[in-house]
Every structure is written in C-alpha cells, then in structure tokens.
Amino acid sequence: MANTSHAPLFETTKAKGSFIYKLFAASMFVGIVLIWIYRATHVSEHGRLVWIGMFAAELWFGFYWILTQAHRWNRVYRQTFKDRLSQRYENDLPGVDIFVCTADPTIEPPMMVMNTVLSVMAYDYPPEKLAVYLSDDAGPDLTFYALLEASNFSKHWIPYCKRFAVEPRSPEAHFRSVSDELEANQAQHLASVKMGLKYGCPVEDVITGLSIHCRGWKSMYFNPERKGFLGVAGMTLDQTLVQHKRWSEGDLQIFLSKHSPVWIGLGRINLGLIMGYCVYCLWSPNCFATLYYSVIPSLYLLKGDPLFPQMGLKYGCPVEDVITGLSIHCRGWKSMYFNPERKGFLGVAGTTLDQTLVQHKRWSEGDLQIFLSKHSPVWNGLGRINLGLIMGYCVYCLWSPNCFATLYYSIIPSLYLLKGDPLFPQVSSFWILPFVYVIIGEHAFSLAEYIWSGGTVLGWWNEQRIWLYKRTSSYLFAVVDTFLKLVGYSVSGLSSQPKCLTWTAQRYEQEKMEFGAVSPMFTVLSSLAMLNLFCLALMVMKAIRAGRLKSVHETMALHILLCGVLVLINLPLYSAAFFRKDKGRLLSSVTLKSILVALLLCSCCAFL
C-alpha cells in the first residue's frame, strides 16, 4: 500500500471557462456603465422625476449585479479523500458538533425533525467525539416530548444501523424501502426495533392530553357502540407521507448540484454560509466556542458531551444560521463549501406559492435586519473579512431592497407605454445597443447557467416568474415590516406556514400554482399583473385606432418588450383569476380589488 502520510486530504481545482466568463462579465459591466451614461446625459424635459427614478433603479440593478460577481468570479471544486483521512487520523479525529434547527412543530412536523435527528445520531463516527443538538426557536412542549421519544428509540436504532450497515439511516426512509425478505436474524432484530418506535404515534394528541393531566384534570375512557365520527385515512404511502418530489428533489438538487455556481464561487473565497438550504458548511470544530451567548432551554444536547460550556447559535434574528456564520467569520475562522455526491439529507420546501413567498419574506427580512444591525457584514466585517466575503454576504442581506427597483420597472414603463412617452432609446438610436446587450446577455447567461446546472428551459422560465413574484411581494413586505419594527409599529403578521398541505396535493402534481389563500401578497401580485395587461391592451387599441403601429414600434420597442414579458410571466395568474374553477383559483374579492387598482392607475396616468 502506498504511503499516504504526506498525501493531501483534499484537492481544489478551478472551474473551466473562468477566463471566458470574466470577459463576458467585463463586457456586461461596460454595457451597464453605458446605460448609466445614457440616463445621466439624456434627461427628459417632460418627466424629469420619472427619469431620475429610472436612473436610480438602473443604478441599483447595476450595483447589485456587481455584488453577485462574488459568487461567479472564481469558481472552484473540492474533492475529498476519505480513505486517506481514515488511514492517517483514525485514532485522532476531531470532535464534531451537529446542530439541527427547527422553528415550529406545526410548520415542521416533529416526526420529520426526529427522523433528521436520528439519522445524524447514527453517523458512522466515533460516538465519544460526536455531539448532536436540537435547536428550537420556540422550545415547545411538543418538540421536547418528541425528542424524549426519539432518544429512547435511538437506543435500538443506532445499534441496528451499526450492526447491519443501514443506509439511509433515517428510520422513515429505511422502513419505507426495507425488503420483506429479510434474513432471519435481521428480521428478528428489526422486529425489536419496531417495537421501540413509540415516537411514531400522533404526538400532537398525546402531548395535549399529557399537558391537561399535568394540570390536575382527570379523564375517562368512553367508547360507545355508535361512534360520534369516523376519521379518513390515506390509502397510499404517498397520501400518508406526502413525499414533495418536484421541489425538494428537483429544484433543490439542482441548486445543490456540483455545478451550482453560487456555492462554488463562494467556496473560492472561503465563504461557506450557514443557511437553511441543506448546504454543507465545514467549520473547524472549536469555532463555536468563540461565540458569546447564553444557552437557552430549547437547545437540547442529544448525544455526547458538550466540548465547551457555552455552545449554540446566535438568536434574536429570523436567520440565526446566517448571523452565526457571519460572527464566526468575523472572528477569523474560515469555512469550506463541501457538496458530496451523496447527500447527507434533503430539505422540504413549500409546495404552494403562498408558502414560498412567506418563507422568502422571513429570510429576506432576517437578512435585512442583519445588514442594519451591529453585525452587518459591511461595518462589522470591514477589516476582519475580505471584500469578496463582504460582497457575498451583502447579496443576501440586500435581497429585500431589490423590491423598490423591481416595482418601479414593473409599473412606470408600462404606464408610460399607455401614455406614449418613451423612457428608453428609440430603435434607430445608438443608445439602444447597451440596453439590448445587457438584457440579452444577462438572460442568455442565466438560461445557460440553469441548464448547465441540470435544469430545463421550462424550469428556468418558472424561475423568472418566481424571481419577479418574490421581488414584488415577499421583499416588499420584508422591507416594510423591518422599518415598522425599527420605529415601534406593528407588522403585517405574515409568518411561516406549514410545508405539508394534503388538500393541495392533486393540483401540486398537476403543476398548478395555488392562489386560493387569503394573502396581501396576492393582492399586490394581481394588481401588478392587471396593470401590465391593461396597459398593453389599451396601447394596442389606441395604436390601431390611430394607425400608428409602425411609429409606436420605433419609439416604444423596449416598453412593449418589457410589458409583454411581464404579461407572459403572469399568465398563470390570469388563468387563476378568470378561467380556473378549482379551490386554487384567485379569490373573486382579490381579482376585483386588483382590477380596480389597475384601472385607477391607468386613469390617473391617462388624464394627469
């Protein structure tokens, strides 16, 4: 056997095509600067304030694009050699702390959380060097009770995994896939394991009854011959488990694939963000000890002894994972992005549009709070972390302010299309070239990047739709709520929602968007969609009536392109408002309200 005492434990290779991308990025930057020059030198006399607003929006788009270059400028891949690590440090492996984070048992079912906990407790690692924690923001009794049951079950589950080299090590996944033809000794041991699966009961009703009993109340068992009601159970495994195969196994796997340019680029500058994306972020084992905080009751030690008396995450922020990682970076620690082919676990994403928008509202609000706090990557990280790290963090911390530029671009050009006043260069002008190049270049690169990462053209188009919806609703409410909190006022009340709703399963399988929920976000989205539809339709009617189709094309080409794309993006919303009859359709009250808002804006633009 070759001597591996001096062989590297991992290797880092640069991604192919970096030089070509840098040339492309440089040309895009030139195009962006030319757009800025056009805005600064061609101020309209008839709409000076509107023109300045367009300039501000384009300045923001260009600035944010520059920030995103931290993700793409230097992309690298890392490959580990586990056999060398085992041969060299088998008896001297470092201590590893694993944090499992959850927020609310009604949003993330305890069974799902406990399966995650049990799977990491069963890792193939020296048990005396492995410490597993469950971190719960709210610390509810239900989670604690489920944790006790999982702890008891682990006494059967962990030995079973080690004895038979079980893969995967999640109880739910294993029992779902285990064969009926087990060997006799394995079947016998498995039977004893299943007997200990008490945590699989519906713990919601158990913990409710337990809480009532502990408060002094008494109960009586009563079972009449004539039942008061009967329950309805699922008839298939899918109905029972609700496995979310498209988003959690499709888009999420694309996002976490080895080609993911975002994480590969951040890996180059030693930025492995701790984020709720099932992303592997490796820290030196002692780094958590450098953080100062108090251990709250909802931080449960599941296995092993704590390496330090004070350990955990930073709390007081909706994205405690991000702020913890930023604090560790600012103390001089480095992290590495690691994405093995075999995933340690997969996340569960929301299956409805409302769930997705609310979740992004929470994330973007938390990121903005970090940016405005003393932990900001700008003033807290300046001098402590490099510029690339600061830019990488700011991409996420400035998610929500994107709403202003996006809303402006979604409203004003459409209204001025109806008005007939151009805000973009004419087709025959030289200045249209940088606009066309930046638009085509950015979207062509985005499409190529998405396909290269394993996606499809349809998937990319849906991604553009969600990109628009997030920026005009989730991010808007995140900014509003953040500043309302700063001045002491109440917030919108939008919060995280359950990720598993069985009544939407059929439409989810049919890839139909859910608009049936009551949400102010849907009012905003539908109002914008109706505005763009009315502006485009009324402009065409006016041009046909006046016989000016050719001249309109010459002067308003980019207006028509922008408004037309917005209408195409909103086709599912128009269908939900006017054609669909199922429960996922847009509520009639929301449709009526959005039509009135759009007509009011169109009327104000036409007459004022």
Side-chain angles (χ1 to χ4, degrees):
M1 181 180 294
N3 184 7
T4 61
S5 59
H6 299 290
L9 299 179
F10 68 93
E11 67 176 3
T12 303
T13 57
K14 290 187 177 182
K16 297 180 179 179
S18 295
F19 178 72
I20 296 176
Y21 175 76
K22 290 177 180 179
L23 288 178
F24 167 75
S27 66
M28 285 287 291
F29 179 71
V30 171
I32 291 171
V33 172
L34 288 175
I35 291 175
W36 292 344
I37 293 174
Y38 169 77
R39 287 294 175 199
T41 58
H42 292 73
V43 179
S44 173
E45 294 294 335
H46 301 288
R48 188 180 299 271
L49 290 179
V50 172
W51 194 270
I52 292 174
M54 293 292 291
F55 191 15
E58 288 158 356
L59 281 173
W60 175 263
F61 286 141
F63 167 72
Y64 195 80
W65 179 86
I66 292 172
L67 289 180
T68 62
Q69 298 315 299
H71 293 161
R72 297 178 169 89
W73 196 252
N74 285 311
R75 295 175 292 118
V76 297
Y77 298 104
R78 288 190 173 94
Q79 180 183 0
T80 60
F81 305 105
K82 292 190 294 184
D83 55 335
R84 298 178 184 176
L85 176 66
S86 178
Q87 292 174 13
R88 193 183 308 178
Y89 297 110
E90 182 67 34
N91 299 320
D92 194 28
L93 293 172
V96 174
D97 300 328
I98 299 178
F99 286 81
V100 179
C101 299
T102 185
D104 188 330
T106 62
I107 300 171
E108 299 167 335
M111 277 288 292
M112 180 178 67
V113 177
M114 294 309 130
N115 269 282
T116 303
V117 166
L118 287 166
S119 65
V120 297
M121 290 176 70
Y123 274 172
D124 184 15
Y125 204 80
E128 69 278 2
K129 296 182 179 181
L130 180 66
V132 183
Y133 297 83
L134 175 63
S135 174
D136 193 307
D137 291 353
D141 292 342
L142 179 57
T143 301
F144 183 72
Y145 175 78
L147 181 61
L148 291 179
E149 294 295 330
S151 177
N152 292 329
F153 177 61
S154 68
K155 298 174 184 177
H156 303 276
W157 177 246
I158 295 176
Y160 171 72
C161 289
K162 292 184 177 179
R163 181 175 179 182
F164 298 106
V166 171
E167 294 293 348
R169 299 195 174 190
S170 165
E172 178 188 344
H174 176 67
F175 291 136
R176 187 172 64 244
S177 61
V178 69
S179 171
D180 294 331
E181 300 178 358
L182 298 172
E183 295 179 6
N185 60 341
Q186 185 175 352
Q188 182 179 3
H189 193 85
L190 180 60
S192 66
V193 170
K194 286 187 174 181
M195 289 180 61
L197 194 60
K198 290 188 283 187
Y199 81 99
C201 68
V203 292
E204 291 83 357
D205 48 6
V206 175
I207 191 62
T208 301
L210 178 62
S211 299
I212 293 175
H213 281 133
C214 291
R215 285 166 172 78
W217 294 86
K218 297 184 182 298
S219 60
M220 178 185 296
Y221 172 68
F222 180 56
N223 184 23
E225 292 185 4
R226 183 178 182 274
K227 310 303 179 188
F229 54 87
L230 294 176
V232 178
M235 294 182 292
T236 67
L237 187 61
D238 269 353
Q239 293 171 356
T240 305
L241 298 173
V242 195
Q243 304 305 318
H244 302 297
K245 59 185 179 181
R246 282 200 180 89
W247 283 12
S248 61
E249 297 179 6
D251 293 340
L252 187 60
Q253 287 181 7
I254 293 173
F255 182 74
L256 294 177
S257 70
K258 66 180 180 179
H259 300 298
S260 174
V262 172
W263 299 105
I264 295 170
L266 292 179
R268 172 65 178 175
I269 54 178
N270 294 321
L271 172 56
L273 288 173
I274 298 182
M275 302 187 75
Y277 287 122
C278 306
V279 173
Y280 282 43
C281 176
L282 305 184
W283 297 95
S284 183
N286 299 335
C287 65
F288 278 95
T290 65
L291 297 177
Y292 177 77
Y293 43 83
S294 60
V295 178
I296 64 173
S298 60
L299 186 64
Y300 309 118
L301 175 63
L302 305 181
K303 180 180 179 182
D305 298 323
L307 300 180
F308 302 95
Q310 288 182 330
M311 306 183 70
L313 302 178
K314 279 188 171 294
Y315 286 88
C317 175
V319 284
E320 65 277 354
D321 44 6
V322 179
I323 195 173
T324 299
L326 176 59
S327 299
I328 293 173
H329 278 135
C330 289
R331 284 165 173 77
W333 294 90
K334 296 182 183 297
S335 59
M336 178 187 294
Y337 169 65
F338 179 53
N339 185 25
E341 292 186 5
R342 183 179 181 274
K343 311 301 178 193
F345 52 90
L346 293 176
V348 177
T351 56
T352 68
L353 180 61
D354 188 39
Q355 294 168 10
T356 301
L357 296 179
V358 170
Q359 182 65 74
H360 274 272
K361 185 259 181 186
R362 174 183 171 85
W363 287 341
S364 57
E365 182 179 352
D367 291 334
L368 183 60
Q369 288 178 12
I370 293 175
F371 186 80
L372 298 176
S373 72
K374 64 180 180 180
H375 301 286
S376 172
V378 178
W379 36 85
N380 185 42
L382 198 60
R384 299 182 178 183
I385 56 180
N386 62 50
L387 180 61
L389 277 174
I390 294 175
M391 292 171 63
Y393 271 111
C394 285
V395 168
Y396 298 98
C397 290
L398 295 177
W399 257 357
S400 53
N402 276 302
C403 67
F404 298 117
T406 307
L407 281 167
Y408 197 90
Y409 244 69
S410 301
I411 297 173
I412 300 302
S414 295
L415 289 175
Y416 269 66
L417 173 63
L418 177 62
K419 191 179 180 66
D421 289 344
L423 296 175
F424 297 102
Q426 297 185 8
V427 173
S428 58
S429 171
F430 160 81
W431 290 104
I432 199 173
L433 295 179
F435 283 91
V436 172
Y437 180 75
V438 169
I439 292 171
I440 294 178
E442 175 62 20
H443 287 85
F445 173 78
S446 173
L447 175 60
E449 183 181 70
Y450 196 87
I451 293 177
W452 177 62
S453 300
T456 63
V457 175
L458 179 59
W460 172 81
W461 179 247
N462 287 328
E463 185 68 19
Q464 306 312 300
R465 178 175 290 123
I466 297 300
W467 177 92
L468 177 68
Y469 287 176
K470 288 187 302 186
R471 289 194 170 202
T472 54
S473 61
S474 302
Y475 296 173
L476 174 63
F477 282 91
V479 171
V480 171
D481 279 4
T482 299
F483 284 99
L484 284 177
K485 288 179 181 178
L486 289 178
V487 297
Y489 285 91
S490 60
V491 296
S492 65
L494 292 169
S495 59
S496 297
Q497 298 183 359
K499 296 175 181 175
C500 301
L501 293 175
T502 55
W503 61 273
T504 66
Q506 183 178 2
R507 291 188 292 277
Y508 175 74
E509 291 296 327
Q510 296 172 351
E511 298 186 356
K512 290 183 178 180
M513 281 190 170
E514 290 287 333
F515 293 96
V518 179
S519 172
M521 292 190 185
F522 288 165
T523 303
V524 173
L525 294 180
S526 58
S527 297
L528 290 174
M530 298 302 174
L531 173 67
N532 285 282
L533 179 63
F534 293 165
C535 287
L536 185 62
L538 291 173
M539 181 278 300
V540 173
M541 291 172 57
K542 287 175 59 178
I544 293 176
R545 187 180 305 164
R548 296 175 54 246
L549 280 177
K550 185 175 182 180
S551 61
V552 168
H553 173 266
E554 168 67 22
T555 58
M556 310 294 290
L558 290 182
H559 286 265
I560 296 172
L561 175 64
L562 177 58
C563 191
V565 169
L566 291 174
V567 169
L568 289 176
I569 283 178
N570 283 303
L571 286 180
L573 195 147
Y574 302 136
S575 175
F578 301 120
F579 303 110
R580 285 173 58 177
K581 302 300 181 182
D582 54 59
K583 292 184 178 180
R585 68 184 185 276
L586 197 66
L587 297 179
S588 300
S589 58
V590 176
T591 301
L592 179 60
K593 190 183 301 182
S594 61
I595 290 175
L596 292 176
V597 170
L599 289 176
L600 178 62
L601 289 174
C602 290
S603 300
C604 291
C605 178
F607 293 107
L608 298 181

